[in-house]
Amino acid sequence: MNNSQPYRLLAPGPVPVPAAVLKRMSEKVLHHRTPEFEKLLIESWDGLKQVFRTKQPVQIIAGTGTAAMEAAVVNSLSAGEEALVIVSGKFGERWAEICEKYGVTTHRLNVPWGQAASEARLQEALGKIKNVKAVFTQACETSTATVHSIRQLSQIVRKTAPQALFIVDAITAVGCMPLPMDEWEIDVMIGGSQKAFMIPTGLSFIALSERAWAAQAKSTIPKFYLDLAAEKKANGKKETHFSTPTPLIVGLNAVLQQMQKMGIEQVIKRCELLAGFTRTYGERLGLGIYSESPSSSVTALSTPDTVDSAKLRDWLEKEKNITIMGGQDQLKGKIIRIGHMGDVKDEDMFALLAALKEYLKSDAELGDAEQRLTTVPALFS
Ligand SMILES: *Cc1c(COP(=O)(O)O)cnc(C)c1O
């Protein structure tokens, strides 16, 4: 670690928390059963509904994104029921593993890494399974920085398997790309605090459509902490079922207010601009764009055969105090992943580019990079 340089967190989660939000979080620790906290909670539920673009309640789970994934499975299905999981990377595989642990008969639709799921192959796979009860996917598969066509996939599910719930892990999508839950007929959608909601790790969010709530009532998988019906009942009384990490909700509330003030479209635009910037200058430095369907929340750049991306990542951490991510499993050593969510500053992007240029010994011309970033709207002024 090189502490002579400012720390720059450019991972696809956790992401940099805006300074104003960190300050609010550190002011005091509220008790979760107080009128002051109740107000923040109600405002946060409301703000989340706006970001999810749903009329349904969005619940807050005190647990990381995987807790919301598990909640989606245990509240939607029963053991022995059939589910189809789109597996296009590490997180798709996690959906399948959770389903299997709970005795759900799990079919995998394996998608080559770096590609978006094909609508035709989804239709074909659904045609082969009798009475499939749920279809699981990511909106953005973070491990490969690939975005799927959620609108189109949703239509295929409705048409081919109308009884099935369409369940979307939107942890690196909701809050940073267009994903209107109700309009696109998503039955269960989840988000995570340390990704698009730009606060520290520890909270996740989940919303269920009316159809999903009907399935919830019938689901027989045992559940206690993640029983969404019990949480809903408590939320109806304007409280959470269990204790709540109140500083995280204070932070969430501040972020949601700022998102409303800026307009969610601007927050989305910001990610798109940062992603476009990263692709342009990454290519100029001789790196490749790994995904065939690149996301605007995270970019995967492939390194030349002569460059081990894991070593590059370690060097950035040790010499430059910059955190990015490498590749996992089959992508180990082959890609770097750079996040665009959260309060990424212009100077962070310049520092990263300059460091990459140094490591790759590139003579690429980057002089216009500064100009290009002036179009990115600031999150907090
Ligand atoms: C980060 C992430 C998760 C898991 O979240 P944790 O907070 O690490 O439990 C799940 N799905 C996707 C797409 C993610 O990016």
Side-chain angles (χ1 to χ4, degrees), residues 15-76:
V15 304
V17 179
V21 174
L22 269 183
K23 188 165 171 284
R24 288 269 312 268
M25 291 178 66
S26 65
E27 278 163 8
K28 61 182 170 186
V29 177
L30 290 168
H31 191 280
H32 57 283
R33 310 269 187 237
T34 55
E36 188 178 354
F37 181 70
E38 187 184 295
K39 182 170 171 284
L40 289 176
L41 191 60
I42 294 168
E43 280 175 15
S44 302
W45 285 331
D46 193 49
L48 284 169
K49 280 170 75 160
Q50 292 184 35
V51 179
F52 273 57
R53 305 251 307 264
T54 182
K55 290 202 182 66
Q56 300 300 327
V58 182
Q59 294 191 0
I60 300 171
I61 296 174
T64 71
T66 308
M69 293 178 81
E70 184 152 341
V73 172
V74 303
N75 285 277
S76 305

Short mmCIF file of all heavy atoms in Angstrom, two decimals, residues 15-76:
data_model
loop_
_atom_site.label_atom_id
_atom_site.label_comp_id
_atom_site.label_asym_id
_atom_site.label_seq_id
_atom_site.Cartn_x
_atom_site.Cartn_y
_atom_site.Cartn_z
N VAL A 15 -18.28 0.53 -3.76
CA VAL A 15 -17.93 1.69 -4.59
C VAL A 15 -17.67 2.89 -3.66
O VAL A 15 -18.02 2.85 -2.48
CB VAL A 15 -19.08 2.02 -5.58
CG1 VAL A 15 -19.41 0.81 -6.45
CG2 VAL A 15 -20.33 2.53 -4.88
N PRO A 16 -17.04 3.95 -4.20
CA PRO A 16 -16.78 5.11 -3.34
C PRO A 16 -18.08 5.77 -2.85
O PRO A 16 -18.99 6.05 -3.63
CB PRO A 16 -15.98 6.06 -4.23
CG PRO A 16 -16.06 5.53 -5.61
CD PRO A 16 -16.47 4.10 -5.55
N VAL A 17 -18.13 5.98 -1.55
CA VAL A 17 -19.30 6.62 -0.92
C VAL A 17 -19.09 8.13 -0.97
O VAL A 17 -18.02 8.61 -0.61
CB VAL A 17 -19.45 6.14 0.54
CG1 VAL A 17 -20.64 6.81 1.22
CG2 VAL A 17 -19.58 4.62 0.60
N PRO A 18 -20.09 8.89 -1.43
CA PRO A 18 -19.93 10.35 -1.45
C PRO A 18 -19.58 10.88 -0.05
O PRO A 18 -20.14 10.42 0.95
CB PRO A 18 -21.31 10.85 -1.90
CG PRO A 18 -21.95 9.69 -2.59
CD PRO A 18 -21.40 8.46 -1.93
N ALA A 19 -18.65 11.84 0.01
CA ALA A 19 -18.17 12.35 1.30
C ALA A 19 -19.34 12.88 2.16
O ALA A 19 -19.37 12.66 3.38
CB ALA A 19 -17.13 13.45 1.06
N ALA A 20 -20.28 13.55 1.52
CA ALA A 20 -21.41 14.12 2.27
C ALA A 20 -22.25 13.02 2.93
O ALA A 20 -22.80 13.19 4.02
CB ALA A 20 -22.29 14.94 1.32
N VAL A 21 -22.29 11.87 2.28
CA VAL A 21 -23.07 10.75 2.81
C VAL A 21 -22.33 10.11 3.99
O VAL A 21 -22.93 9.82 5.03
CB VAL A 21 -23.35 9.71 1.68
CG1 VAL A 21 -24.03 8.47 2.24
CG2 VAL A 21 -24.19 10.34 0.58
N LEU A 22 -21.03 9.95 3.83
CA LEU A 22 -20.22 9.38 4.93
C LEU A 22 -20.34 10.25 6.18
O LEU A 22 -20.43 9.76 7.30
CB LEU A 22 -18.75 9.32 4.52
CG LEU A 22 -18.25 8.05 3.87
CD1 LEU A 22 -16.76 8.17 3.60
CD2 LEU A 22 -18.53 6.83 4.74
N LYS A 23 -20.35 11.55 5.96
CA LYS A 23 -20.43 12.49 7.08
C LYS A 23 -21.78 12.32 7.80
O LYS A 23 -21.82 12.18 9.02
CB LYS A 23 -20.28 13.92 6.54
CG LYS A 23 -20.17 14.97 7.59
CD LYS A 23 -19.65 16.29 6.99
CE LYS A 23 -19.75 17.40 8.02
NZ LYS A 23 -21.15 17.87 8.18
N ARG A 24 -22.85 12.27 7.03
CA ARG A 24 -24.18 12.08 7.64
C ARG A 24 -24.22 10.77 8.45
O ARG A 24 -24.77 10.71 9.55
CB ARG A 24 -25.27 12.00 6.56
CG ARG A 24 -25.60 13.31 5.87
CD ARG A 24 -26.72 14.08 6.57
NE ARG A 24 -27.90 13.27 6.90
CZ ARG A 24 -28.95 13.15 6.10
NH1 ARG A 24 -29.00 13.75 4.93
NH2 ARG A 24 -29.99 12.42 6.48
N MET A 25 -23.62 9.73 7.89
CA MET A 25 -23.66 8.42 8.55
C MET A 25 -22.93 8.42 9.89
O MET A 25 -23.23 7.62 10.77
CB MET A 25 -23.02 7.36 7.64
CG MET A 25 -23.83 7.06 6.40
SD MET A 25 -23.01 5.85 5.35
CE MET A 25 -23.07 4.43 6.40
N SER A 26 -21.93 9.30 10.00
CA SER A 26 -21.09 9.27 11.20
C SER A 26 -21.57 10.23 12.29
O SER A 26 -20.98 10.30 13.36
CB SER A 26 -19.64 9.60 10.82
OG SER A 26 -19.58 10.92 10.35
N GLU A 27 -22.63 10.96 12.01
CA GLU A 27 -23.05 11.98 12.98
C GLU A 27 -23.52 11.39 14.30
O GLU A 27 -23.12 11.82 15.37
CB GLU A 27 -24.11 12.90 12.36
CG GLU A 27 -23.45 13.99 11.52
CD GLU A 27 -24.40 14.69 10.55
OE1 GLU A 27 -25.63 14.44 10.61
OE2 GLU A 27 -23.89 15.47 9.72
N LYS A 28 -24.42 10.41 14.21
CA LYS A 28 -24.84 9.73 15.44
C LYS A 28 -25.48 8.40 15.07
O LYS A 28 -25.84 8.18 13.92
CB LYS A 28 -25.86 10.59 16.21
CG LYS A 28 -27.14 10.88 15.44
CD LYS A 28 -28.08 11.77 16.23
CE LYS A 28 -29.22 12.23 15.34
NZ LYS A 28 -30.11 13.19 15.94
N VAL A 29 -25.58 7.53 16.07
CA VAL A 29 -26.25 6.25 15.82
C VAL A 29 -27.65 6.33 16.41
O VAL A 29 -27.83 6.43 17.62
CB VAL A 29 -25.46 5.08 16.45
CG1 VAL A 29 -26.22 3.77 16.25
CG2 VAL A 29 -24.08 4.97 15.81
N LEU A 30 -28.64 6.29 15.51
CA LEU A 30 -30.03 6.37 15.96
C LEU A 30 -30.49 5.00 16.46
O LEU A 30 -30.03 3.96 15.97
CB LEU A 30 -30.92 6.76 14.79
CG LEU A 30 -30.80 8.20 14.28
CD1 LEU A 30 -31.52 8.33 12.94
CD2 LEU A 30 -31.40 9.17 15.29
N HIS A 31 -31.42 4.99 17.40
CA HIS A 31 -32.10 3.74 17.73
C HIS A 31 -33.15 3.48 16.65
O HIS A 31 -33.72 4.41 16.10
CB HIS A 31 -32.75 3.83 19.12
CG HIS A 31 -33.22 2.49 19.60
ND1 HIS A 31 -34.41 1.93 19.17
CD2 HIS A 31 -32.65 1.59 20.44
CE1 HIS A 31 -34.54 0.73 19.74
NE2 HIS A 31 -33.48 0.51 20.51
N HIS A 32 -33.36 2.18 16.37
CA HIS A 32 -34.29 1.88 15.26
C HIS A 32 -35.76 1.99 15.63
O HIS A 32 -36.61 1.90 14.76
CB HIS A 32 -33.97 0.51 14.66
CG HIS A 32 -34.02 -0.61 15.64
ND1 HIS A 32 -33.01 -0.85 16.54
CD2 HIS A 32 -34.98 -1.55 15.86
CE1 HIS A 32 -33.34 -1.89 17.28
NE2 HIS A 32 -34.52 -2.34 16.88
N ARG A 33 -36.06 2.15 16.92
CA ARG A 33 -37.48 2.37 17.27
C ARG A 33 -37.66 3.79 17.82
O ARG A 33 -37.95 3.98 18.99
CB ARG A 33 -37.95 1.36 18.32
CG ARG A 33 -37.63 -0.09 18.00
CD ARG A 33 -38.73 -0.80 17.23
NE ARG A 33 -38.44 -2.22 17.10
CZ ARG A 33 -38.35 -2.86 15.92
NH1 ARG A 33 -38.52 -2.23 14.79
NH2 ARG A 33 -38.09 -4.15 15.88
N THR A 34 -37.41 4.76 16.96
CA THR A 34 -37.60 6.16 17.36
C THR A 34 -38.31 6.89 16.23
O THR A 34 -38.20 6.49 15.07
CB THR A 34 -36.24 6.88 17.59
OG1 THR A 34 -35.44 6.75 16.40
CG2 THR A 34 -35.48 6.30 18.78
N PRO A 35 -39.04 7.96 16.54
CA PRO A 35 -39.74 8.70 15.49
C PRO A 35 -38.77 9.25 14.43
O PRO A 35 -39.09 9.26 13.25
CB PRO A 35 -40.43 9.85 16.23
CG PRO A 35 -40.42 9.48 17.66
CD PRO A 35 -39.30 8.51 17.88
N GLU A 36 -37.59 9.67 14.87
CA GLU A 36 -36.63 10.23 13.92
C GLU A 36 -36.22 9.17 12.90
O GLU A 36 -36.14 9.44 11.69
CB GLU A 36 -35.39 10.75 14.68
CG GLU A 36 -34.44 11.52 13.79
CD GLU A 36 -33.24 12.08 14.54
OE1 GLU A 36 -33.18 11.98 15.79
OE2 GLU A 36 -32.35 12.63 13.86
N PHE A 37 -35.98 7.95 13.39
CA PHE A 37 -35.59 6.89 12.47
C PHE A 37 -36.77 6.46 11.60
O PHE A 37 -36.61 6.20 10.40
CB PHE A 37 -35.00 5.68 13.21
CG PHE A 37 -34.57 4.61 12.25
CD1 PHE A 37 -33.48 4.81 11.43
CD2 PHE A 37 -35.30 3.44 12.11
CE1 PHE A 37 -33.09 3.86 10.49
CE2 PHE A 37 -34.93 2.49 11.17
CZ PHE A 37 -33.82 2.70 10.36
N GLU A 38 -37.96 6.42 12.20
CA GLU A 38 -39.15 6.01 11.44
C GLU A 38 -39.33 6.88 10.20
O GLU A 38 -39.63 6.38 9.11
CB GLU A 38 -40.38 6.11 12.35
CG GLU A 38 -41.64 5.56 11.71
CD GLU A 38 -42.86 5.75 12.60
OE1 GLU A 38 -42.91 5.16 13.70
OE2 GLU A 38 -43.76 6.53 12.21
N LYS A 39 -39.11 8.15 10.38
CA LYS A 39 -39.25 9.09 9.25
C LYS A 39 -38.26 8.73 8.13
O LYS A 39 -38.63 8.69 6.95
CB LYS A 39 -39.02 10.52 9.76
CG LYS A 39 -39.19 11.58 8.71
CD LYS A 39 -39.18 12.97 9.35
CE LYS A 39 -39.12 14.06 8.29
NZ LYS A 39 -37.80 14.23 7.68
N LEU A 40 -37.01 8.48 8.51
CA LEU A 40 -35.98 8.12 7.53
C LEU A 40 -36.32 6.82 6.80
O LEU A 40 -36.10 6.67 5.60
CB LEU A 40 -34.62 7.94 8.21
CG LEU A 40 -33.93 9.19 8.72
CD1 LEU A 40 -32.65 8.81 9.45
CD2 LEU A 40 -33.61 10.12 7.56
N LEU A 41 -36.87 5.88 7.56
CA LEU A 41 -37.23 4.58 7.01
C LEU A 41 -38.34 4.73 5.97
O LEU A 41 -38.24 4.20 4.86
CB LEU A 41 -37.68 3.68 8.17
CG LEU A 41 -37.85 2.20 7.89
CD1 LEU A 41 -36.55 1.56 7.43
CD2 LEU A 41 -38.35 1.50 9.17
N ILE A 42 -39.36 5.48 6.33
CA ILE A 42 -40.49 5.67 5.41
C ILE A 42 -40.02 6.39 4.14
O ILE A 42 -40.37 5.98 3.02
CB ILE A 42 -41.64 6.45 6.11
CG1 ILE A 42 -42.22 5.58 7.23
CG2 ILE A 42 -42.73 6.85 5.11
CD1 ILE A 42 -43.14 6.31 8.18
N GLU A 43 -39.21 7.41 4.31
CA GLU A 43 -38.67 8.13 3.13
C GLU A 43 -37.83 7.19 2.28
O GLU A 43 -37.87 7.26 1.05
CB GLU A 43 -37.78 9.29 3.58
CG GLU A 43 -38.54 10.51 4.00
CD GLU A 43 -37.62 11.60 4.56
OE1 GLU A 43 -36.37 11.52 4.37
OE2 GLU A 43 -38.14 12.51 5.21
N SER A 44 -37.05 6.32 2.92
CA SER A 44 -36.18 5.40 2.16
C SER A 44 -37.01 4.40 1.37
O SER A 44 -36.72 4.12 0.20
CB SER A 44 -35.23 4.66 3.09
OG SER A 44 -34.44 5.59 3.81
N TRP A 45 -38.05 3.85 2.00
CA TRP A 45 -38.93 2.92 1.27
C TRP A 45 -39.50 3.61 0.03
O TRP A 45 -39.54 3.03 -1.05
CB TRP A 45 -40.09 2.45 2.17
CG TRP A 45 -39.69 1.45 3.20
CD1 TRP A 45 -38.68 0.53 3.11
CD2 TRP A 45 -40.31 1.26 4.48
NE1 TRP A 45 -38.64 -0.23 4.25
CE2 TRP A 45 -39.63 0.20 5.10
CE3 TRP A 45 -41.36 1.87 5.17
CZ2 TRP A 45 -39.97 -0.28 6.37
CZ3 TRP A 45 -41.71 1.41 6.42
CH2 TRP A 45 -41.02 0.35 7.03
N ASP A 46 -39.91 4.85 0.23
CA ASP A 46 -40.51 5.59 -0.86
C ASP A 46 -39.50 5.86 -1.98
O ASP A 46 -39.79 5.68 -3.17
CB ASP A 46 -41.05 6.91 -0.28
CG ASP A 46 -41.95 7.59 -1.27
OD1 ASP A 46 -42.84 6.89 -1.78
OD2 ASP A 46 -41.73 8.78 -1.55
N GLY A 47 -38.30 6.26 -1.58
CA GLY A 47 -37.24 6.52 -2.56
C GLY A 47 -36.86 5.26 -3.33
O GLY A 47 -36.62 5.30 -4.54
N LEU A 48 -36.82 4.13 -2.63
CA LEU A 48 -36.48 2.87 -3.29
C LEU A 48 -37.54 2.50 -4.34
O LEU A 48 -37.21 2.03 -5.43
CB LEU A 48 -36.35 1.74 -2.26
CG LEU A 48 -35.08 1.74 -1.42
CD1 LEU A 48 -35.19 0.74 -0.26
CD2 LEU A 48 -33.85 1.40 -2.27
N LYS A 49 -38.81 2.73 -3.99
CA LYS A 49 -39.89 2.44 -4.95
C LYS A 49 -39.71 3.25 -6.23
O LYS A 49 -39.95 2.77 -7.33
CB LYS A 49 -41.25 2.77 -4.34
CG LYS A 49 -41.75 1.69 -3.40
CD LYS A 49 -42.96 2.13 -2.62
CE LYS A 49 -44.22 2.15 -3.46
NZ LYS A 49 -45.42 2.11 -2.58
N GLN A 50 -39.27 4.48 -6.07
CA GLN A 50 -39.05 5.33 -7.25
C GLN A 50 -37.90 4.80 -8.10
O GLN A 50 -37.98 4.82 -9.33
CB GLN A 50 -38.78 6.76 -6.82
CG GLN A 50 -40.02 7.40 -6.21
CD GLN A 50 -39.78 8.86 -5.87
OE1 GLN A 50 -39.07 9.55 -6.59
NE2 GLN A 50 -40.36 9.31 -4.78
N VAL A 51 -36.84 4.36 -7.45
CA VAL A 51 -35.70 3.85 -8.22
C VAL A 51 -36.05 2.50 -8.88
O VAL A 51 -35.70 2.25 -10.03
CB VAL A 51 -34.43 3.72 -7.34
CG1 VAL A 51 -33.26 3.16 -8.14
CG2 VAL A 51 -34.06 5.07 -6.74
N PHE A 52 -36.77 1.66 -8.15
CA PHE A 52 -37.19 0.36 -8.71
C PHE A 52 -38.31 0.54 -9.76
O PHE A 52 -38.60 -0.38 -10.48
CB PHE A 52 -37.71 -0.57 -7.60
CG PHE A 52 -36.64 -1.39 -6.90
CD1 PHE A 52 -35.56 -0.78 -6.28
CD2 PHE A 52 -36.74 -2.77 -6.82
CE1 PHE A 52 -34.60 -1.54 -5.62
CE2 PHE A 52 -35.78 -3.55 -6.16
CZ PHE A 52 -34.71 -2.92 -5.57
N ARG A 53 -38.91 1.72 -9.76
CA ARG A 53 -40.06 2.01 -10.62
C ARG A 53 -41.15 0.93 -10.43
O ARG A 53 -41.58 0.26 -11.36
CB ARG A 53 -39.63 2.12 -12.09
CG ARG A 53 -38.52 3.15 -12.33
CD ARG A 53 -38.97 4.40 -13.05
NE ARG A 53 -39.67 4.18 -14.28
CZ ARG A 53 -39.09 4.22 -15.49
NH1 ARG A 53 -37.80 4.42 -15.61
NH2 ARG A 53 -39.82 4.08 -16.57
N THR A 54 -41.58 0.81 -9.16
CA THR A 54 -42.63 -0.15 -8.84
C THR A 54 -43.64 0.45 -7.87
O THR A 54 -43.31 1.34 -7.09
CB THR A 54 -42.04 -1.44 -8.23
OG1 THR A 54 -43.12 -2.36 -7.98
CG2 THR A 54 -41.30 -1.21 -6.92
N LYS A 55 -44.86 -0.07 -7.95
CA LYS A 55 -45.90 0.31 -6.99
C LYS A 55 -45.82 -0.57 -5.74
O LYS A 55 -46.40 -0.27 -4.72
CB LYS A 55 -47.28 0.13 -7.62
CG LYS A 55 -47.63 1.11 -8.70
CD LYS A 55 -49.16 1.19 -8.85
CE LYS A 55 -49.57 2.13 -9.97
NZ LYS A 55 -49.16 1.65 -11.31
N GLN A 56 -45.11 -1.67 -5.88
CA GLN A 56 -45.00 -2.63 -4.76
C GLN A 56 -44.03 -2.11 -3.71
O GLN A 56 -43.12 -1.34 -4.02
CB GLN A 56 -44.48 -3.98 -5.28
CG GLN A 56 -45.36 -4.62 -6.33
CD GLN A 56 -46.76 -4.91 -5.83
OE1 GLN A 56 -46.95 -5.21 -4.65
NE2 GLN A 56 -47.75 -4.77 -6.71
N PRO A 57 -44.18 -2.57 -2.46
CA PRO A 57 -43.19 -2.18 -1.46
C PRO A 57 -41.81 -2.76 -1.79
O PRO A 57 -41.72 -3.87 -2.31
CB PRO A 57 -43.73 -2.79 -0.15
CG PRO A 57 -44.76 -3.79 -0.55
CD PRO A 57 -45.24 -3.44 -1.92
N VAL A 58 -40.78 -1.98 -1.50
CA VAL A 58 -39.40 -2.49 -1.63
C VAL A 58 -38.89 -2.69 -0.21
O VAL A 58 -38.84 -1.75 0.58
CB VAL A 58 -38.48 -1.51 -2.39
CG1 VAL A 58 -37.08 -2.11 -2.54
CG2 VAL A 58 -39.05 -1.17 -3.76
N GLN A 59 -38.57 -3.91 0.14
CA GLN A 59 -38.09 -4.19 1.49
C GLN A 59 -36.58 -4.01 1.60
O GLN A 59 -35.86 -4.23 0.64
CB GLN A 59 -38.45 -5.62 1.88
CG GLN A 59 -39.94 -5.83 2.00
CD GLN A 59 -40.28 -7.17 2.66
OE1 GLN A 59 -39.40 -7.96 3.02
NE2 GLN A 59 -41.56 -7.42 2.80
N ILE A 60 -36.18 -3.64 2.80
CA ILE A 60 -34.74 -3.49 3.08
C ILE A 60 -34.31 -4.67 3.94
O ILE A 60 -34.89 -4.91 5.00
CB ILE A 60 -34.47 -2.17 3.82
CG1 ILE A 60 -34.95 -0.97 2.97
CG2 ILE A 60 -32.99 -2.05 4.17
CD1 ILE A 60 -34.93 0.36 3.71
N ILE A 61 -33.33 -5.41 3.47
CA ILE A 61 -32.81 -6.55 4.22
C ILE A 61 -31.46 -6.15 4.82
O ILE A 61 -30.62 -5.58 4.13
CB ILE A 61 -32.62 -7.78 3.30
CG1 ILE A 61 -33.97 -8.23 2.74
CG2 ILE A 61 -31.90 -8.91 4.03
CD1 ILE A 61 -33.87 -9.35 1.70
N ALA A 62 -31.29 -6.45 6.12
CA ALA A 62 -29.97 -6.23 6.73
C ALA A 62 -29.13 -7.46 6.43
O ALA A 62 -29.11 -8.43 7.19
CB ALA A 62 -30.11 -5.99 8.23
N GLY A 63 -28.48 -7.44 5.30
CA GLY A 63 -27.68 -8.57 4.83
C GLY A 63 -27.16 -8.15 3.46
O GLY A 63 -27.76 -7.30 2.81
N THR A 64 -26.07 -8.74 3.01
CA THR A 64 -25.50 -8.33 1.71
C THR A 64 -26.39 -8.83 0.57
O THR A 64 -27.39 -9.54 0.81
CB THR A 64 -24.07 -8.86 1.53
OG1 THR A 64 -24.13 -10.28 1.33
CG2 THR A 64 -23.20 -8.53 2.73
N GLY A 65 -26.01 -8.50 -0.65
CA GLY A 65 -26.80 -8.87 -1.81
C GLY A 65 -27.20 -10.34 -1.86
O GLY A 65 -28.30 -10.68 -2.28
N THR A 66 -26.32 -11.19 -1.40
CA THR A 66 -26.61 -12.62 -1.44
C THR A 66 -27.79 -12.97 -0.52
O THR A 66 -28.55 -13.90 -0.81
CB THR A 66 -25.34 -13.42 -1.05
OG1 THR A 66 -24.26 -12.96 -1.87
CG2 THR A 66 -25.52 -14.91 -1.24
N ALA A 67 -27.99 -12.21 0.54
CA ALA A 67 -29.16 -12.42 1.41
C ALA A 67 -30.44 -12.16 0.62
O ALA A 67 -31.42 -12.90 0.73
CB ALA A 67 -29.09 -11.51 2.64
N ALA A 68 -30.42 -11.13 -0.21
CA ALA A 68 -31.61 -10.85 -1.04
C ALA A 68 -31.80 -11.94 -2.09
O ALA A 68 -32.93 -12.31 -2.41
CB ALA A 68 -31.50 -9.48 -1.70
N MET A 69 -30.68 -12.47 -2.61
CA MET A 69 -30.79 -13.59 -3.57
C MET A 69 -31.46 -14.78 -2.87
O MET A 69 -32.39 -15.39 -3.39
CB MET A 69 -29.41 -14.01 -4.09
CG MET A 69 -28.72 -12.98 -4.96
SD MET A 69 -27.04 -13.51 -5.49
CE MET A 69 -27.43 -14.59 -6.88
N GLU A 70 -30.96 -15.09 -1.67
CA GLU A 70 -31.53 -16.22 -0.93
C GLU A 70 -33.00 -15.96 -0.60
O GLU A 70 -33.84 -16.85 -0.72
CB GLU A 70 -30.71 -16.46 0.35
CG GLU A 70 -31.15 -17.67 1.13
CD GLU A 70 -30.02 -18.31 1.95
OE1 GLU A 70 -28.84 -18.07 1.67
OE2 GLU A 70 -30.35 -19.07 2.87
N ALA A 71 -33.31 -14.72 -0.21
CA ALA A 71 -34.71 -14.37 0.09
C ALA A 71 -35.59 -14.58 -1.14
O ALA A 71 -36.73 -15.06 -1.03
CB ALA A 71 -34.79 -12.91 0.56
N ALA A 72 -35.07 -14.23 -2.31
CA ALA A 72 -35.85 -14.40 -3.55
C ALA A 72 -36.19 -15.87 -3.76
O ALA A 72 -37.32 -16.23 -4.10
CB ALA A 72 -35.07 -13.85 -4.74
N VAL A 73 -35.20 -16.74 -3.52
CA VAL A 73 -35.42 -18.17 -3.74
C VAL A 73 -36.39 -18.73 -2.70
O VAL A 73 -37.39 -19.37 -3.04
CB VAL A 73 -34.07 -18.95 -3.70
CG1 VAL A 73 -34.31 -20.45 -3.74
CG2 VAL A 73 -33.18 -18.52 -4.85
N VAL A 74 -36.13 -18.48 -1.42
CA VAL A 74 -36.91 -19.16 -0.38
C VAL A 74 -38.33 -18.62 -0.26
O VAL A 74 -39.21 -19.28 0.29
CB VAL A 74 -36.22 -19.13 1.02
CG1 VAL A 74 -34.83 -19.77 0.94
CG2 VAL A 74 -36.13 -17.73 1.60
N ASN A 75 -38.58 -17.43 -0.82
CA ASN A 75 -39.93 -16.89 -0.76
C ASN A 75 -40.75 -17.15 -2.02
O ASN A 75 -41.95 -16.90 -2.04
CB ASN A 75 -39.90 -15.38 -0.47
CG ASN A 75 -39.57 -15.09 0.98
OD1 ASN A 75 -40.44 -15.10 1.84
ND2 ASN A 75 -38.29 -14.86 1.27
N SER A 76 -40.09 -17.61 -3.08
CA SER A 76 -40.81 -17.79 -4.35
C SER A 76 -41.14 -19.24 -4.65
O SER A 76 -42.04 -19.52 -5.42
CB SER A 76 -39.96 -17.27 -5.52
OG SER A 76 -39.59 -15.95 -5.32
#
